[in-house]
Amino acid sequence: MSQTVPPILSVVPTRAVVDETFKVLVENLPPASPVTIRSLHHSEDQDYWEAYGFYISDHRGTVSVSEDLSFGGTYTGKEPMGLLWSMRPVPGSRRGLRLRKMNVCTPMLVDISVYSGHEGFGDRAPLASALTERWYMAPGVKRIEIKEKGVRGTLFIPPGPGPFPGLLDMWGGGGGLLEYRSALLASRSYAALALEYFSAGELESVELQLKYFETAFNILRDHPQVMPDRVGLFGLSLGSLVSLYLATASTAIKPRCCVCISGNHSYPRGKPLSGIYEELSRNSHKVRVDENNHMIWRDMGLAIMSNPLNNMDIGKINCPLLLVNGLDDQNWPAVESAEDIARLMRAAGKEHLLTRLTYPDAGHLIEPPFSPHFRATNFIETIQKQKVVMLWGGQTKPHSDAQEDSWRQIQSFLQLHMYNSPTPRAKL
């Protein structure tokens, strides 16, 4: 591709919060020219992730990713954010990778480049490039480490004088401390406490009772920049189970609302968190693997759920509840659990408190918008204490659509039940 004026690639905005869209525009190309637009990210785990689309420049020699069709690559069609949500490890990478931001005080850096041609573009030098920053923490968000009363976590406070509604944010069975969703929630005007409640691979020894979570809730509630009567629960997977357990079994706290993603309502009553591990072990014969040797827990979950003694007293829920699930969840029967929760709430005369979002071809790991889709990733398997590749489910495009739509719906749900009035959004 020879020309006197070099192509120009721009990304607007160059710096943004991760749930905000950007526009990628390439100018000064020859008309009707085949080009590839590629994104590349070097992760904190030192792995490279990429996405790319094949485009044809228009009569003016421009390509707009927001407006033009991709004819191939990791995504097709008009996909303004395909360069992010269709990211995958570059060929030759390690198996079972998952992209997660661990240090939220730094941005996710994404290099976006344009190449001449379609096939074999990686062997050529880019015609133009631009670097964009994707942040979980908006300017002014404060990050505070919490180590008090035995509770471990990180509190994120939105910019401004406050006070703000609060959310106790809990992740799943992988364990450890994950901060990125809490940082993003704080960027959207919620004080969020990312709670660590067991270390990776140690579920079987966790003797935590309700009191640990109640203490964490109260630490958040009592913070001077938190509205004490507007503290809710937010969980994914095991974190959703804990959220439901608190909402049904605790007499010490009153959550304003609950958001539960890919959760379930099976919890051995009166037992510590390690009781979940006991149930998993008891039903481990139901675990199966697919043709790729990816582990599937779904049937084990069905077996646990089939025993009514394992299920919570859902009729005791007294706050608005949002359930978010994917119909292709291969890790846990979350959709069946949601249907049973709906039945139990209906029987208790509390169906009006329930909102359900169910997405075709979405899997278990429904993350913030534009996050890459992970159908199967490495996981420290709880029962045998070995690293396996866990099948989460989902197909990339519909799963990504589910992440984008569910985040919008979650924001609307929280706005309704935590604020009841419009509130400004922090922006970069």
Side-chain angles (χ1 to χ4, degrees):
M1 185 179 292
S2 61
Q3 58 190 84
T4 55
V5 182
I8 299 172
L9 187 151
S10 61
V11 181
V12 180
T14 57
R15 182 183 294 126
V17 179
V18 294
D19 62 353
E20 296 173 343
T21 59
F22 59 26
K23 292 186 177 180
V24 178
L25 181 68
V26 183
E27 300 171 280
N28 293 349
L29 295 165
S33 175
V35 294
T36 298
I37 300 179
R38 180 203 196 196
S39 59
L40 184 67
H41 171 65
H42 190 205
S43 75
E44 292 165 324
D45 294 328
Q46 308 305 309
D47 299 297
Y48 284 96
W49 293 71
E50 69 173 359
Y52 52 90
F54 299 150
Y55 292 90
I56 304 290
S57 62
D58 66 13
H59 67 282
R60 298 166 299 174
T62 66
V63 172
S64 169
V65 173
S66 298
E67 299 172 2
D68 296 335
L69 299 176
S70 166
F71 296 99
T74 58
Y75 62 95
T76 58
K78 191 167 100 170
E79 295 293 345
M81 302 303 289
L83 288 168
L84 293 182
W85 60 251
S86 73
M87 272 191 168
R88 60 192 185 190
V90 299
S93 297
R94 296 179 294 144
R95 183 173 180 246
L97 296 178
R98 183 174 176 184
L99 182 59
R100 308 175 96 175
K101 193 78 176 76
M102 301 309 293
N103 180 5
V104 297
C105 296
T106 62
M108 177 180 171
L109 298 174
V110 181
D111 187 80
I112 298 180
S113 303
V114 58
Y115 297 82
S116 174
H118 290 164
E119 303 302 329
F121 68 91
D123 298 329
R124 296 186 286 273
L127 302 172
S129 297
L131 188 66
T132 181
E133 297 181 4
R134 307 291 293 176
W135 289 85
Y136 284 94
M137 282 179 66
V141 171
K142 294 188 285 290
R143 178 185 178 274
I144 305 165
E145 292 186 15
I146 300 294
K147 290 182 181 178
E148 59 179 274
K149 300 179 183 178
V151 171
R152 308 177 308 280
T154 307
L155 176 61
F156 292 87
I157 302 291
F164 306 97
L167 288 166
L168 184 61
D169 186 16
M170 292 169 286
W171 284 88
L177 177 60
L178 295 165
E179 300 181 352
Y180 59 93
R181 188 171 62 201
S182 290
L184 183 57
L185 287 166
S187 299
R188 297 294 166 245
S189 301
Y190 299 94
L193 174 55
L195 184 65
E196 180 178 10
Y197 52 105
F198 69 98
S199 300
E202 294 184 358
L203 180 61
E204 82 283 358
S205 59
V206 180
E207 293 303 313
L208 293 179
Q209 301 277 1
L210 263 180
K211 186 169 177 55
Y212 179 82
F213 302 98
E214 292 170 341
T215 301
F217 186 96
N218 289 335
I219 288 172
L220 178 60
R221 183 196 64 190
D222 295 340
H223 193 279
Q225 285 187 278
V226 174
M227 299 175 180
D229 62 336
R230 299 192 181 202
V231 178
L233 303 170
F234 197 127
L236 180 142
S237 194
L238 180 60
S240 283
L241 184 151
V242 173
S243 297
L244 284 172
Y245 187 44
L246 284 166
T248 57
S250 176
T251 57
I253 65 170
K254 293 184 178 179
R256 179 86 170 193
C257 64
C258 293
V259 176
C260 295
I261 303 172
S262 303
N264 72 93
H265 62 311
S266 299
Y267 192 108
R269 299 180 190 181
K271 291 190 176 183
L273 207 60
S274 57
I276 298 169
Y277 168 80
E278 294 171 7
E279 284 301 318
L280 295 175
S281 298
R282 191 174 295 119
N283 292 277
S284 61
H285 61 284
K286 294 287 188 178
V287 173
R288 56 190 175 90
V289 295
D290 68 4
E291 66 278 7
N292 298 309
N293 205 35
H294 296 162
M295 186 169 283
I296 302 171
W297 276 16
R298 180 181 159 74
D299 291 347
M300 177 173 63
L302 285 169
I304 293 172
M305 208 175 83
S306 66
N307 181 358
L309 296 177
N310 285 331
N311 296 335
M312 303 174 203
D313 191 353
I314 292 296
K316 290 186 176 180
I317 288 180
N318 289 309
C319 67
L321 170 64
L322 174 63
L323 301 179
V324 182
N325 297 298
L327 284 171
D328 190 38
D329 189 335
Q330 297 298 315
N331 179 250
W332 206 260
V335 172
E336 289 85 347
S337 179
E339 290 170 353
D340 201 40
I341 288 170
R343 178 186 64 81
L344 293 168
M345 292 185 74
R346 193 179 308 117
K350 297 181 178 179
E351 191 177 20
H352 63 286
L353 294 174
L354 178 63
T355 303
R356 292 175 60 187
L357 300 174
T358 307
Y359 295 98
D361 292 322
H364 187 75
L365 300 178
I366 298 176
E367 298 255 35
F370 316 130
S371 302
H373 165 239
F374 316 103
R375 182 167 174 81
T377 68
N378 295 326
F379 188 78
I380 303 298
E381 192 266 326
T382 311
I383 303 163
Q384 300 296 329
K385 300 280 287 186
Q386 60 184 347
K387 186 167 86 168
V388 300
V389 176
M390 185 74 78
L391 186 66
W392 306 110
Q395 303 298 324
T396 299
K397 168 60 176 161
H399 185 92
S400 301
D401 289 344
Q403 291 186 154
E404 189 174 350
D405 183 76
S406 64
W407 186 249
R408 272 196 304 266
Q409 302 275 9
I410 288 167
Q411 297 303 302
S412 297
F413 177 85
L414 292 174
Q415 177 73 37
L416 174 64
H417 297 295
M418 303 285 268
Y419 270 109
N420 290 323
S421 61
T423 184
R425 285 160 44 110
K427 285 196 174 185
L428 287 172

